[in-house]
Amino acid sequence: MFDFLVFIGRFQPFHRAHQAVIQDAFQHSKSVIILLGSAQPERTLKNVFTSDEREAMIRASFSPELQSQLHFAGLVDVFNDVKWTAMVKQAVQDIVEQNIPLGEASLAPKIGLIGHFKDQSSYYLSLFPEWPLVELDNYFQLSATPIREQYLLGQLPTLKQVPAATLDFLIHFQQTANYRVLQQQAQQSLKT
């Protein structure tokens, strides 16, 4: 049993496969550290939602008891594996230090990594040899990319694709100026 399992992703948006990974993580760990990639504040067609919005989507998809065992940090994009790996380790260390009970500070917490090798972008899972890997299958064969692309063209995902909390967030986000700007950009990119 791990004290902390680290789950790294962009979650643009948070979908059912992400939710299943976190549920699985709680079978192996007391707490789950979720590192939100692409946490820079600019919205783009690839990075539609801020790290705060993604954290809210994720938290709302779990019970209050599990929410208290979810810990988050944002990671801005750094295209240098050495720097990025150091950022990940620092974020995890900060969260672990903040969440170790006082009497247990002298014990080294057991930290692991959870995820699956979906494509070449998953090589990062091998950058942390000190953390045992809990390797999973690709649940439901879902990917955020087509969900996000269709959403920006006006099509809401189904509850088979995303948790109800994500769908609720997406419905409300469609009413914002940020969505309208991104939707126009998505439509323009189709024309070119």
Side-chain angles (χ1 to χ4, degrees), residues 10-12 36-43 47-57 169 173 178:
R10 288 184 36 253
F11 312 104
Q12 293 272 3
L36 302 161
S38 300
Q40 54 275 8
E42 308 84 34
R43 293 183 197 270
N47 298 311
V48 174
F49 309 108
T50 66
S51 56
D52 287 343
E53 290 165 345
R54 289 177 281 157
E55 179 179 339
M57 266 188 256
F169 175 87
F173 189 76
N178 284 323

Side-chain angles (χ1 to χ4, degrees), residues 63-106:
S63 69
E65 297 79 32
L66 291 181
Q67 285 180 29
S68 69
Q69 296 307 112
L70 290 171
H71 309 286
F72 293 84
L75 299 171
V76 295
D77 290 337
V78 176
F79 301 100
N80 176 306
D81 287 346
V82 173
K83 289 181 181 178
W84 183 81
T85 303
M87 281 178 28
V88 167
K89 290 178 183 178
Q90 186 62 57
V92 169
Q93 180 181 338
D94 291 347
I95 289 170
V96 168
E97 287 176 358
Q98 293 169 9
N99 291 283
I100 295 275
L102 283 175
E104 298 176 21
S106 63

Side-chain angles (χ1 to χ4, degrees), residues 19-160:
Q19 184 182 36
V21 170
I22 294 170
Q23 288 168 332
D24 205 5
F26 278 117
Q27 301 301 311
H28 302 278
S29 182
K30 297 173 191 169
S31 294
V32 179
I33 296 172
I34 300 173
L35 299 181
L36 302 161
S38 300
Q40 54 275 8
E42 308 84 34
R43 293 183 197 270
T44 67
L45 294 179
K46 188 175 176 183
N47 298 311
V48 174
F49 309 108
T50 66
S51 56
D52 287 343
E53 290 165 345
R54 289 177 281 157
E55 179 179 339
M57 266 188 256
I58 295 167
R59 282 193 183 283
S61 299
F62 293 93
S63 69
E65 297 79 32
L66 291 181
Q67 285 180 29
S68 69
Q69 296 307 112
L70 290 171
H71 309 286
F72 293 84
L75 299 171
V76 295
D77 290 337
V78 176
F79 301 100
N80 176 306
D81 287 346
V82 173
K83 289 181 181 178
W84 183 81
T85 303
M87 281 178 28
V88 167
K89 290 178 183 178
Q90 186 62 57
V92 169
Q93 180 181 338
D94 291 347
I95 289 170
V96 168
E97 287 176 358
Q98 293 169 9
N99 291 283
I100 295 275
L102 283 175
E104 298 176 21
S106 63
L107 302 173
K110 187 170 182 191
I111 300 170
L113 190 62
I114 192 165
H116 75 96
F117 289 93
K118 70 175 182 175
D119 56 29
Q120 301 92 337
S121 69
S122 304
Y123 78 95
Y124 70 88
L125 292 170
S126 62
L127 296 177
F128 306 94
E130 67 274 29
W131 295 339
L133 176 62
V134 177
E135 189 175 347
L136 304 172
D137 292 328
N138 181 359
Y139 292 113
F140 316 120
Q141 303 302 308
L142 284 173
S143 170
T145 301
I147 295 171
R148 180 179 64 253
E149 289 171 350
Q150 289 301 306
Y151 171 69
L152 289 175
L153 294 174
Q155 183 179 334
L156 287 169
T158 68
L159 288 174
K160 287 185 176 183

